[in-house]
């Protein structure tokens, strides 16, 4: 694959992160055009021992994201210094360089995915002119995708096992059949966890990696809404505390819905969460 050079943006991930899996969660066509190849161990040892110079380098792979963009890597650690990005030593060092055909139309998914992948894996996005980019706060919401449409009353019974004060906020009319509805799980000080049910307008790409029987067209969106009056100008510490105390409620609600409907849980960045991770979030303090 030959694309014209473009100003590189670098994605730095923990060495064990599966960049291919992260890419397939957003891009249907994501695949390795060329797998990364390790340097020959014997040749590298001989070079280091007898010539006093580095041995052969590993050959970076090419991971296609779209028809016009691919990642090259993992690159040698010197890739950071080559682009003037001398980050802290604690920064993850499996580095991938994004290449985009300059003739291609802008694709906002690329920048969005790089930030989302870095958040998901605990990595960083680096720019040659801006340095380490701010990834932003990840959204707290979780969505359960299932083939089972629960009635509002059935869903209310389930969420009351998580929050006894759960209540119906909006319900469809008796003749509407399967229609959107909303439940609320209020707390005294920390705002409200809201569950909204509807048929999904579109499905996340990440679901295509699952067996079709493990998800469906109905979406149970679970999200935290801050207390009334806590907006952009509120005390950041109070908002952070309220969000932290509400996060396990969001996870518990998603977990009970997933178990009851055989659905798949997807986070706000579009990645499917294993059941063990959802449960870990549910018990986190």
């Amino acid at each position: 694959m030959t694309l014209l050079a473009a100003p590189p943006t670098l994605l730095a991930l923990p060495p064990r992160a599966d960049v291919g899996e992260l890419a397939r969660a957003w891009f249907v066509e994501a695949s390795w055009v060329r797998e990364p190849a390790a340097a020959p161990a014997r040749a590298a040892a001989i070079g280091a021992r007898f010539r006093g110079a580095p041995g052969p380098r590993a050959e970076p792979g090419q991971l296609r994201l779209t028809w016009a963009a691919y990642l090259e890597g993992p690159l040698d650690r010197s890739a950071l210094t080559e682009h003037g990005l001398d980050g802290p030593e604690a920064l993850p060092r499996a580095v991938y360089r994004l290449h985009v055909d300059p003739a291609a139309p802008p694709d906002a998914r690329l920048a969005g995915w790089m930030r989302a992948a870095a958040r998901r894996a605990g990595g960083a996005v680096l720019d040659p002119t801006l340095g380490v980019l701010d990834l932003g706060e990840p959204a707290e919401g979780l969505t359960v995708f299932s083939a089972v449409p629960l009635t509002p009353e059935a869903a209310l019974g389930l969420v009351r096992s998580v929050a006894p004060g759960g209540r119906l906020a909006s319900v469809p009319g008796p003749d509407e059949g399967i229609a959107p509805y909303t439940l609320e799980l209020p707390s005294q000080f920390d705002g409200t966890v809201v569950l909204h049910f509807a048929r999904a307008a579109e499905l996340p790409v990440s679901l295509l990696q699952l067996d079709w029987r493990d998800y469906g067209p109905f979406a149970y969106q679970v999200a935290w809404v801050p207390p009334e009056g806590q907006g952009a100008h509120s005390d950041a510490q109070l908002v952070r505390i309220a969000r932290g105390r509400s996060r396990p409620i969001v996870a518990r609600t998603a977990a009970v819905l997933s178990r009851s409907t055989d659905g798949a849980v997807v986070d706000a960045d579009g990645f499917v969460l294993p059941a063990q991770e959802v449960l870990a979030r549910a018990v986190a303090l």
Side-chain angles (χ1 to χ4, degrees):
M1 177 184 297
T2 301
L3 297 180
L4 298 178
T9 297
L10 305 178
L11 175 63
L13 298 176
R16 294 185 179 181
D18 188 337
V19 68
E21 181 178 343
L22 293 168
R24 287 187 290 273
W26 275 52
F27 303 102
V28 176
E29 59 268 48
S31 62
W32 286 103
V33 176
R34 184 182 68 231
E35 294 272 358
R42 180 175 175 79
I46 292 174
R49 180 176 178 182
F50 296 105
R51 293 197 301 271
R57 292 186 177 184
E59 182 70 18
Q62 287 187 3
L63 177 62
R64 178 164 58 97
L65 302 178
T66 71
W67 68 269
Y70 69 91
L71 287 182
E72 178 191 13
L75 303 175
D76 187 88
R77 291 182 59 165
S78 62
L80 291 178
T81 55
E82 288 175 3
H83 296 288
L85 296 169
D86 296 315
E89 287 302 317
L91 194 66
R93 297 295 182 172
V95 180
Y96 300 84
R97 181 189 289 121
L98 176 67
H99 293 263
V100 182
D101 186 338
D107 189 342
R109 292 179 302 166
L110 296 172
W113 172 77
M114 293 186 77
R115 285 175 166 80
R119 281 193 295 264
R120 176 69 180 148
V125 178
L126 308 117
D127 184 272
T129 57
L130 302 177
V132 180
L133 301 182
D134 181 6
L135 299 179
E137 287 290 332
E140 299 293 336
L142 299 175
T143 302
V144 178
F145 290 89
S146 171
V148 179
L150 294 173
T151 65
E153 294 75 19
L156 180 62
L158 289 173
V159 301
R160 279 182 171 169
S161 68
V162 174
R167 64 197 182 199
L168 295 169
S170 67
V171 295
D175 300 325
E176 292 186 64
I178 299 175
Y181 60 81
T182 302
L183 308 182
E184 293 179 344
L185 289 70
S187 65
Q188 185 174 3
F189 303 109
D190 298 327
T192 302
V193 172
V194 176
L195 164 63
H196 182 69
F197 166 83
R199 182 180 290 272
E202 59 180 352
L203 297 178
V205 173
S206 58
L207 291 177
L208 301 180
Q209 301 179 61
L210 305 180
D211 187 282
W212 63 270
R213 289 165 290 194
D214 293 334
Y215 64 92
F218 299 107
Y220 299 83
Q221 294 179 304
V222 188
W224 171 70
V225 178
E228 185 176 354
Q230 283 193 4
H233 303 292
S234 301
D235 187 311
Q237 179 67 15
L238 292 178
V239 174
R240 187 159 46 249
I241 291 173
R243 179 189 292 114
R245 287 195 294 230
S246 300
R247 187 179 295 118
I249 304 299
V250 171
R252 290 170 200 162
T253 303
V256 72
L257 288 168
S258 177
R259 287 196 302 268
S260 300
T261 65
D262 291 324
V265 181
V266 177
D267 70 9
D269 279 327
F271 298 103
V272 175
L273 302 186
Q276 299 90 329
E277 182 173 343
V278 179
L279 292 177
R281 294 188 182 195
V283 300
L285 298 178

